[in-house]
Amino acid sequence: MSEWRPPEGLNAFAGTIKVSVATVGSGDYRCPANVAMKARCLRPAARGRWKPDRLEDFSFGPFMAELDEAESPSRRRHVAKRRQMHDGLRTWTAHAQEMYWQAFPADGASPLAPARAPWIYRIDLRGPDRRGATRYEISAWGRQLVSSDGRVRELRLPTNRADRPRTRAEISIAALVAAEGRPGPLPEHVRVVQVGLSDGRCRPLFEGDREAARRLFAEHGKGELENAVDSIEYRPGAACAKCAFISVCPALPRASGLLGVEDREHPRRSWSPTNGRSYRVCPARDHLRRLNLPTEWSIEHSPAADRGRAVHGFLARRHASASQRRCSLDIPSDWVGPEYTLPDQEQELGKRLLRHHVTVCPLRHARKGAVRIEPSLTFHDTASDVIVITQPDLLYRDGDSWVWREVKTRTGERRWGSDVLDGSPQLALAVVLLGRGDLGGSRTRSRVELEILRPSGVDLEVIDPFTPSVRETAQNVLVEHVRAWHSDTAASPRPDVNNCARCEVARWCTACATGGDAG
């Protein structure tokens, strides 16, 4: 195994490695290299000025703090120091508390009580190992309870939904901490339960004695933790917004002035065209989505919305397939895929749209290996201290030039407006990135293409990112979508009957204009 090396500019490793269940988690908000450096307790040698968020941005933070206060009033002062809560988060927190006590009634009948201190499993070595470590600490975030005689422990993992997938590695680490963590007498029996705060349902993850927990960890957790601690994979993305190592990261492209806003006084956050559109409709909606609060399924997964996602998913699969990358009129009956369930009418409409795509499919002429399908692109706009994240539908090479293709589906026959950039931060960002040369490649044939699939046909709009008036318009569109958001510290709601009716997080909003139940 090659020696693990951090980037230049970090303090020296002090010999302690700290890991948890989250160390082996998954998702778009993780960077493996960031996880490894945090586990080794590394920090940049030269640290910039910390700019705290005014609003609480951890959706489970207030819930856990209020449970701490309810179970241990001596922690009241700690709770009072928390950041201000958005009204939507306050509504969610009250709901989460209600669901938690519904799952675990506080009637005094339970034989379990909160642990006096968090459990930590420590391993002290006689000398440095191959990583230079002399101590390992493993922890697990959640509600930790123990019986009065110390023989039984229960670890409750709060989440939005009880059916959230958990890997065997995550479960094994949680079980190990519950079985072997100190302080306190070690138990004879251990339970790990996942509690869904949306509806109060619970899902058992592990139950057994200490030996069973150790075996499970040896089989599923130990190797995954070692891989996580030794990872050298940098994965720029949403995690960059809170990353302490951003100043020394070798993988994050810098793009000063990309958004057209020069102001570094506000906390670093991430921004995407999706965030931009959401904020323009309602700042509270964007904030509550960023908190990952539970959404209304019927709104987020309406037939029309899922049909659009299914069309994009099918094109991505076909473009990625070595044998079928060049699209044809042959659309299989199961084109929707297992992720979506569409009414027959939407399935037939999707087929029509996909057949129209064939006439303008760019992969008929693209060279092999010169295609990137739905790539995630991340840049640090150092002038505004914003992490910019975007995902083109397709990037492909025309000669030595990059072409950015966006695909839109329309159910009506109304054509796109004369200025396709107006109100479209995704296209505007594409123009600015290509025009600045941030994607590399030759500018000779570089362009942005907008493919509009309609029931009766397809339009293909071509946008030149090097025309001065086009670049100016694109930059203005970005500024319009970024400036107010960038300086906003309140995320106040903007009630509107129509918009609230289509808002997937409206149930948490105290200003919702639909008159529905906010709880």
Side-chain angles (χ1 to χ4, degrees), residues 496-514:
D496 175 87
V497 172
N498 293 327
N499 290 335
C500 289
R502 294 191 294 266
C503 178
E504 63 278 20
V505 289
R507 69 174 301 195
W508 313 119
C509 182
T510 57
C512 178
T514 62

Side-chain angles (χ1 to χ4, degrees), residues 48 158 232 260 397 462 500 507:
I232 56 174
R397 288 276 196 176
V462 179
C500 289
R507 69 174 301 195

Side-chain angles (χ1 to χ4, degrees), residues 84-270:
Q84 180 178 334
M85 271 196 287
H86 191 278
D87 281 349
L89 179 55
R90 185 173 290 107
T91 302
W92 155 249
T93 299
H95 175 84
Q97 288 255 319
E98 181 182 351
M99 293 299 100
Y100 181 84
W101 293 124
Q102 176 179 302
F104 307 105
D107 54 10
S110 174
L112 303 177
R116 293 185 177 182
W119 303 320
I120 299 177
Y121 176 54
R122 290 186 175 90
I123 305 173
D124 289 304
L125 307 179
R126 293 183 177 179
D129 64 5
R130 64 178 178 83
R131 299 184 182 93
T134 56
R135 168 177 281 194
Y136 287 82
E137 297 184 358
I138 307 177
S139 61
W141 179 87
R143 307 305 302 172
Q144 300 179 356
L145 299 102
V146 62
S147 62
S148 58
D149 59 7
R151 297 171 63 183
V152 177
R153 284 183 178 180
E154 183 169 287
L155 174 60
R156 300 170 183 171
L157 305 178
T159 185
N160 284 347
R161 297 174 59 89
D163 59 359
R164 171 190 167 181
R166 291 280 188 179
T167 65
R168 297 295 289 174
E170 291 177 284
I171 296 171
S172 72
I173 295 167
L176 178 74
V177 172
E180 300 292 333
R182 295 182 184 274
L186 297 181
E188 297 176 5
H189 192 79
V190 170
R191 290 191 296 266
V192 179
V193 179
Q194 185 158 271
V195 53
L197 299 180
S198 293
D199 56 13
R201 297 195 313 175
C202 296
R203 181 165 70 97
L205 299 180
F206 172 85
E207 184 160 5
D209 58 18
R210 290 172 55 206
E211 178 59 31
R214 288 194 297 264
R215 285 198 307 267
L216 188 68
F217 174 76
E219 182 177 357
H220 296 286
K222 185 174 183 294
E224 291 296 320
L225 276 181
E226 290 181 343
N227 291 339
V229 170
D230 293 335
S231 178
I232 56 174
E233 177 193 356
Y234 292 90
R235 192 184 300 164
C240 297
K242 302 298 182 183
C243 180
F245 311 103
I246 191 172
S247 61
V248 297
C249 178
L252 177 63
R254 275 67 175 176
S256 181
L258 174 61
L259 298 176
V261 175
E262 295 192 11
D263 182 358
R264 293 182 56 88
E265 291 304 308
H266 299 282
R268 185 192 311 133
R269 290 182 288 169
S270 63

